[in-house]
């Protein structure tokens, strides 16, 4: 099925475009000699180690800005590619350091994690899509590292993390790293034309959603042993962990819904007939469990396995992924139900999350929708929010960068 009516009114579309411009401008403040830094509430770089995942995500965001023709963003992508190729790259063992010193001079965390390495692939893909020098080599190296160390052919999933020299592997598997590996593989297949990456993304999505999520009443287990046996009590004592929280994470259900539909659109055929009803089940389940679950609007961060809220904080990225899921479902079904939800959630974002005074979005709110810093401090990056603001301009394709490059 195809889209029967616009996702949003001309007024809302103009608001989204204006906020995208504001977010891209906020992004420019993150550039530092070693890569991209962690931004505080006012958009100033926090004096702390430079994180690989942030430099990658901001390089990707700058590629989106370059694809839109924004002045100076091509140069910012070049800056990111250079930082990833020189400052963050481990010349001795290959792969990329998890963190480096603020001046980019030395590694401060040499571990190698699938989560961050998936963003190296995404950054390389996006930079290649906009024709930045060095992007081809960066992407080729990132894919080779992923293929050699992170891809588990027997499981059809990604491994989690290793020591800096790759000799010690963590005895843990996470759905979060696999979700972002899907995003990265879709983008890589899109820009390279090598469908092995699309097919691998399809294997991850099929197992994570058609198998694991379906078998868990659409509340996706986040944590697993090395053979992908679920660990339902993992981090029960750290329920608000930023990357590995206890319980189900409704925001990931929303994100998986969009990625499932994009993967199905990419691979196509009757084998993917399950994808649309699965995506609808993920989103409706997230709404039922998490939206206004404690009496106030907003999505709670986590729930237990019966759907009861555990961490009541509202994370900005969850709302952006709700917008993305509504966009994807509207794109596929044409149903006005999804456009109404999109506009409802955008109104909530404007009221509580979009920071019109200082820029970007407030990262976290408490359960009364006031700014909070229980899990996130400052406004580390603009990846989730920028993508959500650009979605209404795009077709349902696997890669933001290639879709923008094709239409710019």
């Amino acid at each position: 099925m195809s889209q029967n009516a616009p996702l949003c009114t001309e007024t809302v579309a103009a608001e989204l475009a204006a906020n995208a411009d504001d977010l891209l401008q906020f992004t420019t403040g993150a550039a530092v000699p070693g890569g991209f830094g962690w931004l505080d509430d006012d958009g100033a770089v926090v004096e702390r180690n430079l994180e690989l995942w942030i430099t990658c995500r901001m390089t990707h965001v700058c590629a989106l800005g370059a694809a839109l023709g924004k002045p100076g963003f091509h140069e910012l992508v070049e800056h990111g590619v250079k930082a990833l190729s020189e400052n963050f790259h481990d010349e001795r063992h290959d792969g990329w350091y998890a963190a480096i010193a603020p001046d980019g001079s030395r590694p401060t965390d040499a571990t190698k994690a699938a989560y961050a390495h998936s963003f190296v692939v995404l950054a390389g893909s996006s930079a290649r899509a906009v024709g930045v020098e060095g992007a081809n080599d960066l992407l080729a190296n990132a894919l080779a590292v992923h293929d050699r160390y992170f891809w588990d052919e027997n499981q059809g999933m990604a491994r989690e993390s290793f020591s800096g020299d790759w000799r010690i592997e963590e005895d843990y598997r996470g759905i979060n790293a696999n979700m972002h590996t899907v995003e990265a593989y879709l983008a890589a297949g899109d820009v390279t034309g090598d469908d092995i990456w699309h097919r691998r993304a399809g294997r991850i999505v099929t197992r994570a959603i058609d198998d694991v999520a379906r078998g868990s009443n659409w509340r996706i287990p986040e944590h697993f042993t090395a053979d992908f046996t679920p660990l339902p009590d993992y981090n029960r004592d750290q329920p608000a962990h930023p990357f590995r929280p206890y319980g189900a994470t409704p925001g990931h259900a929303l994100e998986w819904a969009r990625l499932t539909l994009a993967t199905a659109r990419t691979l196509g055929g009757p084998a993917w007939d399950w994808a649309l009803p699965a995506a609808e089940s993920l989103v409706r389940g997230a709404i039922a469990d998490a939206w206004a679950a404690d009496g106030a609007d907003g999505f709670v961060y986590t729930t237990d396995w019966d759907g009861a809220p555990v961490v009541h904080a509202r994370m900005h990225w969850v709302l952006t992924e709700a917008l993305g899921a509504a966009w994807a479902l509207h794109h596929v079904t044409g149903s006005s139900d999804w456009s109404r939800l999109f506009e409802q959630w955008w109104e909530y974002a404007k009221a509580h999350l979009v920071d019109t005074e200082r820029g970007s979005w407030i990262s976290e709110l408490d359960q009364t929708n006031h700014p909070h810093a229980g899990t996130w401090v400052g406004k580390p990056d603009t990846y989730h929010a920028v993508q959500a603001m650009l979605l209404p301009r795009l077709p349902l394709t696997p890669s933001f960068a290639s879709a923008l490059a094709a239409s710019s």
Side-chain angles (χ1 to χ4, degrees), residues 325-339:
W327 161 79
L329 284 164
H330 179 261
H331 210 294
V332 174
T333 68
S335 171
S336 59
D337 290 348
W338 302 114
S339 59

Side-chain angles (χ1 to χ4, degrees), residues 312-332:
H312 292 252
R314 277 79 164 137
M315 306 298 180
H316 91 284
W317 70 263
V318 177
L319 196 283
T320 67
E321 291 304 330
L323 293 172
W327 161 79
L329 284 164
H330 179 261
H331 210 294
V332 174

Side-chain angles (χ1 to χ4, degrees), residues 228-247:
F228 280 93
T229 300
L231 297 169
D233 290 328
Y234 188 92
N235 269 356
R236 184 183 281 272
D237 59 343
Q238 298 185 68
H241 194 283
F243 297 107
R244 298 182 181 182
Y246 160 74

Side-chain angles (χ1 to χ4, degrees), residues 80-164:
V81 169
K82 183 178 180 181
L84 292 170
S85 301
E86 298 178 5
N87 303 83
F88 278 94
H89 186 249
D90 184 342
E91 295 293 336
R92 180 179 180 185
H93 299 293
D94 210 359
W96 286 265
Y97 301 123
I100 60 176
D103 62 359
S105 62
R106 59 182 173 79
T108 56
D109 182 352
T111 56
K112 310 288 169 53
Y115 177 85
H117 277 67
S118 72
F119 287 115
V120 182
V121 173
L122 182 64
S125 298
S126 302
R128 174 169 169 165
V130 295
V132 166
E133 184 178 356
N136 287 350
D137 290 341
L138 174 64
L139 178 57
N141 193 4
L143 290 173
V145 167
H146 243 274
D147 182 60
R148 181 177 181 183
Y149 295 108
F150 291 112
W151 178 250
D152 186 334
E153 178 64 22
N154 290 330
Q155 295 286 348
M157 300 286 277
R159 298 182 175 93
E160 183 70 19
S161 69
F162 296 82
S163 59

Side-chain angles (χ1 to χ4, degrees), residues 20-32 35-37 39 53-84 119 122-132 380-387 390 400-402 404-405 408:
D21 289 344
D22 291 344
L23 286 161
L24 289 170
Q25 182 58 42
F26 194 86
T27 300
T28 63
V32 295
F36 289 96
L39 296 175
W53 62 275
I54 287 181
T55 288
C56 290
R57 287 178 14 166
M58 292 300 241
T59 300
H60 165 69
V61 167
C62 289
L64 300 181
L68 289 169
K70 302 296 183 183
F73 277 84
H74 195 276
E75 291 77 11
L76 286 170
V77 184
E78 291 177 334
H79 170 74
V81 169
K82 183 178 180 181
L84 292 170
F119 287 115
L122 182 64
S125 298
S126 302
R128 174 169 169 165
V130 295
V132 166
D381 72 312
T382 55
Y383 155 84
H384 282 286
V386 167
Q387 292 194 154
L390 298 183
F400 277 84
S402 63
L404 284 170
S408 62

Side-chain angles (χ1 to χ4, degrees), residues 202 205-207 209-210 214 218 260 270-279:
V205 172
T206 299
R207 182 161 188 185
I209 303 306
D210 197 29
R214 185 184 300 279
W218 306 108
T260 297
W272 285 89
D273 286 349
W274 61 268
L276 175 56

Side-chain angles (χ1 to χ4, degrees), residues 130-203:
V130 295
V132 166
E133 184 178 356
N136 287 350
D137 290 341
L138 174 64
L139 178 57
N141 193 4
L143 290 173
V145 167
H146 243 274
D147 182 60
R148 181 177 181 183
Y149 295 108
F150 291 112
W151 178 250
D152 186 334
E153 178 64 22
N154 290 330
Q155 295 286 348
M157 300 286 277
R159 298 182 175 93
E160 183 70 19
S161 69
F162 296 82
S163 59
D165 60 6
W166 301 102
R167 293 181 181 179
I168 302 172
E169 181 179 0
E170 185 178 9
D171 187 24
Y172 167 90
R173 299 290 183 269
I175 210 69
N176 192 12
N178 273 277
M179 181 180 69
H180 285 291
T181 297
V182 168
E183 178 186 36
Y185 283 1
L186 289 176
D190 204 34
V191 301
T192 65
D194 187 345
D195 70 354
I196 188 174
W197 306 109
H198 288 163
R199 288 186 279 108
R200 286 183 178 180
R203 289 185 66 186

